[in-house]
Amino acid sequence: EYENRRRAKKKKGKRKKGLVKPLYTSQDIPPVMELFETIGYQKWLHITDGVRAQFRDAGHILGSGSVTLEIIEGDKKTMFGFTGDVGRPNRPILRDPKAMPEVDYLICESTYGNRDHIEKPAEEERFLNIINQTCVEQSGKLIIPAFSVGRTQEIVYMLDRLENEGRLPHIPVFVDSPLAVNATTVFGSHPECYDNDLHEYMLIDDNPFGFTNLTYVRNVDVSKSLNTFTEPCIIISSAGMMNAGRIRHHLFNNIDNPQNTLLIVGYCAPHTTGGILRKGTEAIKLFGEWKMVKAKIEIMDSFSAHADRHELIEYLDNQKGKVKTIFLVHGEFEAQQDFKMLLDKNGFENVAIPDLGQTVELE
């Protein structure tokens, strides 16, 4: 539907492209939603004869989970696991990742298989320093591209704490993403998923995702008004990799101003706008126009919801000596290679990096 609306807009000097037949439309979604069933963590779910599945809290984003399959064929039982995206221990809001049952074969993510994140106190101080340098000393805008689910809520929660501590400068903060607004509402509706620290914090502040100078923006006209907003401010907008969404408009209007700062708070695929900016490009093409990158680019991967290499090793500790093969996926090849060597050094045997489309026959 979105693609057809885009193609229907005839641009000057360009021919309209033919419309495409969608696999489904928005009208198909409500009846599908009625078919969803909620499955709790750490409960075995019967799939079919000889096959059961169990989810465990992965601590990555709200509702994320690892998957373990128990497969029985005759007298043989095989345990097969998929980590999915593994979260980080001791992070704000969500509970820590729960270790998976012991498995025979494991598909494991490796996003940060060759990196370590900075610790929480240093992270908070650096974040505050970036805010002060950009918004107070330079009277500029701090633009933060962030995923709508998880990353945005963590940033808002940190700002909320800084506000309650009296350390956040008196500047407006905008969350400009309809999806992030909706996701934050969902977060607020599920306190059972919060960690103990957040529950204790809520005894002091019952709304960890809202404070005086914070505005959630749904309306597109309000979003557009931020383009001409001249006061120092913080704008949090999606998408996190900057390849789509309202963040592209904020980049277009702010990336060429040396007073501003673009704070990248997580992984960006190399081919995306975020990935290109991470590499230190001098210019970026937005909406068909080349813009000089004069704003300061800051990177804080510690906000990432993905475990770093040593956090992954800790998460996998109960598999050591039991798992027959670990298959590394969801990571750049260099990260996979480095993480494979780290796993080897930590006593994990038979670590494989499968090729795309490769078929592996299990014993």
Side-chain angles (χ1 to χ4, degrees), residues 112 115 242 262 264-269 272-281 297-301:
Y112 286 104
R115 278 175 277 182
M242 296 166 264
L262 175 70
I264 301 175
V265 291
Y267 175 80
C268 294
T272 62
T273 300
I276 295 170
L277 287 168
R278 282 182 68 111
K279 294 177 183 177
T281 185
I297 307 296
E298 294 277 6
I299 298 172
M300 289 187 67
D301 284 330

Side-chain angles (χ1 to χ4, degrees), residues 3 18 41 58 193 205 265 278 285 287 318 321 324 350-351:
E3 176 65 16
Y41 290 129
C193 295
D205 182 349
V265 291
R278 282 182 68 111
K285 193 173 185 179
F287 302 114
N318 71 318
K324 296 178 181 178
N350 298 323
V351 180

Side-chain angles (χ1 to χ4, degrees), residues 110-115 267-271 275 278-279 328-339 353:
S110 55
T111 310
Y112 286 104
N114 58 353
R115 278 175 277 182
Y267 175 80
C268 294
H271 64 279
R278 282 182 68 111
K279 294 177 183 177
L328 297 183
V329 298
H330 200 289
E332 295 179 24
F333 186 57
E334 183 179 345
Q336 291 177 332
Q337 287 179 308
D338 289 347
F339 190 49
I353 303 175

Side-chain angles (χ1 to χ4, degrees), residues 118-235:
I118 63 174
E119 297 299 320
K120 184 177 175 181
E123 167 195 74
E124 190 168 281
E125 288 305 314
R126 186 181 173 206
F127 184 43
L128 186 58
N129 286 338
I130 292 172
I131 294 172
N132 282 318
Q133 290 171 6
T134 303
C135 302
V136 178
E137 297 174 16
Q138 299 175 190
S139 298
K141 292 181 181 180
L142 176 58
I143 310 298
I144 308 177
F147 296 113
S148 297
V149 181
R151 196 72 43 83
T152 293
Q153 291 75 32
E154 184 173 342
I155 294 169
V156 169
Y157 175 39
M158 183 175 287
L159 291 169
D160 190 274
R161 294 203 314 269
L162 291 171
E163 168 77 6
N164 282 331
E165 293 168 2
R167 297 200 292 160
L168 184 67
H170 191 74
I171 53 175
V173 179
F174 301 97
V175 175
D176 185 21
S177 165
L179 179 57
V181 176
N182 293 339
T184 304
T185 301
V186 174
F187 265 78
S189 302
H190 289 279
E192 75 277 6
C193 295
Y194 299 165
D195 62 12
N196 291 332
D197 290 343
L198 182 51
H199 279 296
E200 291 181 8
Y201 181 79
M202 290 176 66
L203 297 175
I204 303 170
D205 182 349
D206 62 0
N207 182 11
F209 306 118
F211 50 93
T212 304
N213 291 323
L214 175 64
T215 301
Y216 286 97
V217 179
R218 288 181 182 271
N219 186 278
V220 67
D221 291 329
V222 177
S223 175
K224 289 179 179 179
S225 72
L226 297 179
N227 296 335
T228 55
F229 190 78
T230 58
E231 299 299 317
C233 65
I234 299 172
I235 299 175

